[in-house]
């Protein structure tokens, strides 16, 4: 006796892709939740020091919590929608896969749709800011980059609104346009993919040039590897989101049911990239933190050089007719410490130089 539902193999395969997407999305949310715990934990200690990065760290804290809320809303709404498709309304004509497509606009799924688009906008906005920060010391270059990415971001917002209007209309979904007549799914996701590809190229190119021109000359190749390793380039450029976008768009364009899986996974995948960037910054490994430390190291080195000139000016150089030598050991014996007592009874250490 077979307990297989009376459905075609195509319908059963489509149902498997929807269910697999929900399971993988849960795993992706686990990554988002872990990063949302690690980032504030590190940022909280930084916000306790009200230095020049105080406002930025506070913004990062708020940003992380907003992304966690959006990711939680997406998972919760998607869970409810999956339950309706596979349990409550299991006998819907065409099975759960038909329910997932035709009932995409119901309120149980509308929350995840809005959360999905809002998270995409937040992620894109962070990447625009990221590019401007990385290119800020390139003269007029940041303004041209900002204009290009800003235009693409505004276009993405407009298409995102149209996409939400499409999937919120009755009997409409990313796959069907019964209620609107125009399918904005491909334009919206293709623009999001193009945006992330442009960002990826710009950031990877900048990191590579940075390694060649500045860091190697100043601090050596070991420090340069911190920014130009494969892992750091993937994180800094948000290539993770581009990968998930391709995994969805290619099956979607070819009308493959595999797109059902990655459409859901993309909802959490787009949160991982910006959270990883913030986590690197919170750990002091990101572009801003490391370049700041380079500037500090350069300044400190310059000051140490000046201090050394003053300090070693007191060393004794002994010269005779055939030999000229410098006794560096005398540097440590040119001073002796004496202790005086002030009016309040406190000890005052004085350095007395010997001529």
């Amino acid at each position: 006796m077979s307990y297989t539902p009376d459905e075609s193999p195509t319908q059963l395969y489509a149902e498997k892709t929807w269910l697999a997407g929900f399971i993988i999305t849960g795993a992706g949310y686990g990554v988002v939740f872990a990063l949302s715990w690690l980032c504030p934990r590190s940022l909280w200690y930084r916000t306790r020091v009200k230095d020049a990065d105080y406002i930025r760290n506070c913004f990062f804290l708020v940003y992380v919590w907003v992304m966690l809320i959006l990711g939680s809303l997406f998972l919760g709404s998607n869970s409810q929608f999956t339950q309706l498709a596979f349990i409550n309304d299991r006998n819907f004509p065409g099975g759960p896969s038909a329910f997932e497509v035709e009932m995409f606009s119901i309120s149980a799924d509308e929350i995840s749709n809005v959360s999905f688009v809002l998270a995409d906008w937040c992620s894109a906005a962070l990447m625009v800011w990221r590019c401007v920060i990385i290119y800020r010391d390139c003269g007029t270059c940041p303004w041209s980059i900002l204009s290009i990415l800003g235009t693409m971001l505004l276009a993405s917002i407009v298409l995102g609104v149209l996409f939400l209007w499409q999937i919120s209309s009755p009997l409409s979904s990313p796959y069907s346009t019964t209620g609107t007549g125009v399918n904005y799914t491909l334009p919206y996701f293709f623009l999001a993919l193009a945006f992330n590809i442009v960002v990826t190229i710009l950031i990877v190119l900048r990191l590579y040039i940075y390694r060649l021109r500045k860091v190697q000359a100043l601090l050596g190749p070991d420090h340069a590897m911190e920014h130009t390793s494969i892992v750091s380039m993937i994180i800094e450029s948000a290539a993770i989101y581009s990968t998930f976008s391709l995994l969805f768009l290619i099956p979607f364009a070819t009308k493959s049911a595999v797109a059902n899986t990655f459409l859901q996974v993309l909802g959490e995948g787009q949160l991982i990239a910006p959270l990883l960037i913030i986590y690197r910054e919170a750990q002091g490994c990101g572009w801003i933190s490391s370049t700041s430390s380079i500037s500090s190291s350069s300044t400190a080195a310059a000051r140490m050089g000046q201090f050394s000139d003053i300090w070693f000016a007191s060393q004794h150089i002994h010269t005779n007719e055939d030999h000229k030598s410098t006794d560096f050991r005398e540097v440590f014996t040119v001073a002796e410490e004496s202790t005086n007592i002030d009016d309040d009874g406190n000890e005052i250490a004085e350095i007395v130089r010997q001529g």
Side-chain angles (χ1 to χ4, degrees):
M1 176 181 291
S2 175
Y3 295 98
T4 304
D6 187 17
E7 297 174 356
S8 65
T10 302
Q11 289 177 308
L12 292 175
Y13 179 71
E15 293 174 12
K16 293 177 182 178
T17 58
W18 282 110
L19 190 59
F22 170 71
I23 296 173
I24 300 175
T25 299
Y29 178 77
V31 178
V32 171
F33 187 84
L35 289 173
S36 300
W37 166 257
L38 293 173
C39 290
R41 185 181 179 184
S42 299
L43 290 170
W44 176 252
Y45 293 104
R46 289 177 173 263
T47 55
R48 297 175 66 180
V49 180
K50 295 187 178 181
D51 54 6
D53 298 329
Y54 175 75
I55 296 179
R56 189 200 72 190
N57 291 328
C58 290
F59 170 77
F60 279 164
L61 271 175
V62 175
Y63 185 91
V64 169
W65 288 114
V66 168
M67 297 298 266
L68 176 62
I69 291 172
L70 292 176
S72 301
L73 289 174
F74 179 83
L75 181 67
S77 178
N78 193 33
S79 301
Q80 179 64 24
F81 190 57
T82 302
Q83 176 183 322
L84 292 175
F86 283 86
I87 300 176
N88 297 60
D89 299 315
R90 182 67 178 81
N91 292 327
F92 186 86
S97 61
F99 181 91
E100 295 263 10
V101 173
E102 296 181 22
M103 304 302 291
F104 213 85
S105 60
I106 64 175
S107 58
D109 195 44
E110 191 65 20
I111 297 176
S112 65
N113 297 335
V114 175
S115 301
F116 181 97
V117 176
L118 290 177
D120 177 55
W121 294 345
C122 291
S123 177
L126 182 71
M127 297 313 300
V128 171
W129 169 82
R130 194 69 176 165
C131 274
V132 173
I133 291 297
I134 290 179
Y135 279 89
R136 64 184 173 182
D137 59 343
C138 296
T140 58
C141 187
W143 295 107
S144 59
I145 292 176
L146 180 61
S147 60
I148 294 173
L149 296 182
T151 302
M152 297 181 71
L153 177 59
L154 291 176
S156 177
I157 292 175
V158 172
L159 286 176
V161 171
L162 293 175
F163 174 72
L164 280 178
W165 172 66
Q166 171 191 326
I167 61 180
S168 300
S169 302
L171 302 179
S172 293
S173 70
Y175 311 91
S176 174
T177 58
T178 304
T180 59
V182 180
N183 194 338
Y184 295 101
T185 304
L186 277 178
Y188 171 63
F189 282 100
F190 268 124
L191 180 61
L193 176 62
F195 173 85
N196 281 276
I197 289 177
V198 170
V199 168
T200 299
I201 293 175
L202 287 174
I203 293 180
V204 170
L205 182 64
R206 174 61 177 151
L207 293 178
Y208 184 73
I209 295 176
Y210 178 79
R211 176 188 179 184
L212 292 180
R213 293 185 177 181
K214 292 187 176 181
V215 185
Q216 277 188 329
L218 183 62
L219 298 178
D222 293 337
H223 190 91
M225 289 301 296
E226 178 178 330
H227 294 293
T228 53
S229 65
I230 299 298
V231 175
S232 64
M233 283 189 174
I234 290 175
I235 294 175
E236 296 278 356
S237 64
I240 297 175
Y241 179 73
S242 301
T243 302
F244 281 115
S245 296
L246 282 173
L247 291 175
F248 164 71
L249 278 174
I250 294 176
F252 183 84
T254 57
K255 301 184 183 302
S256 172
V258 177
N260 303 334
T261 299
F262 292 106
L263 176 62
Q264 300 173 79
V265 176
L266 187 59
E268 299 294 342
Q270 65 184 353
L271 304 177
I272 296 176
L275 291 179
L276 280 174
I277 291 175
I278 293 177
Y279 179 68
R280 277 176 59 85
E281 287 293 341
Q283 294 295 310
C285 300
W287 175 274
I288 301 176
S289 302
S290 295
T291 50
S292 298
S293 67
I294 291 175
S295 300
S296 301
S297 299
S298 302
T299 304
R303 291 178 178 175
M304 284 299 296
Q306 297 174 357
F307 177 77
S308 299
D309 293 340
I310 296 173
W311 180 258
F312 286 102
S314 61
Q315 65 185 9
H316 299 277
I317 302 177
H318 304 283
T319 309
N320 54 32
E321 296 178 356
D322 301 322
H323 179 68
K324 181 178 181 180
S325 64
T326 302
D327 188 0
F328 289 98
R329 291 175 297 176
E330 295 185 10
V331 174
F332 299 97
T333 62
V334 296
E336 66 178 11
E337 181 177 338
S338 64
T339 303
N340 294 329
I341 306 298
D342 63 5
D343 296 336
D344 297 329
N346 298 320
E347 292 186 356
I348 302 175
E350 295 182 351
I351 301 299
V352 180
R353 293 186 177 274
Q354 300 176 354

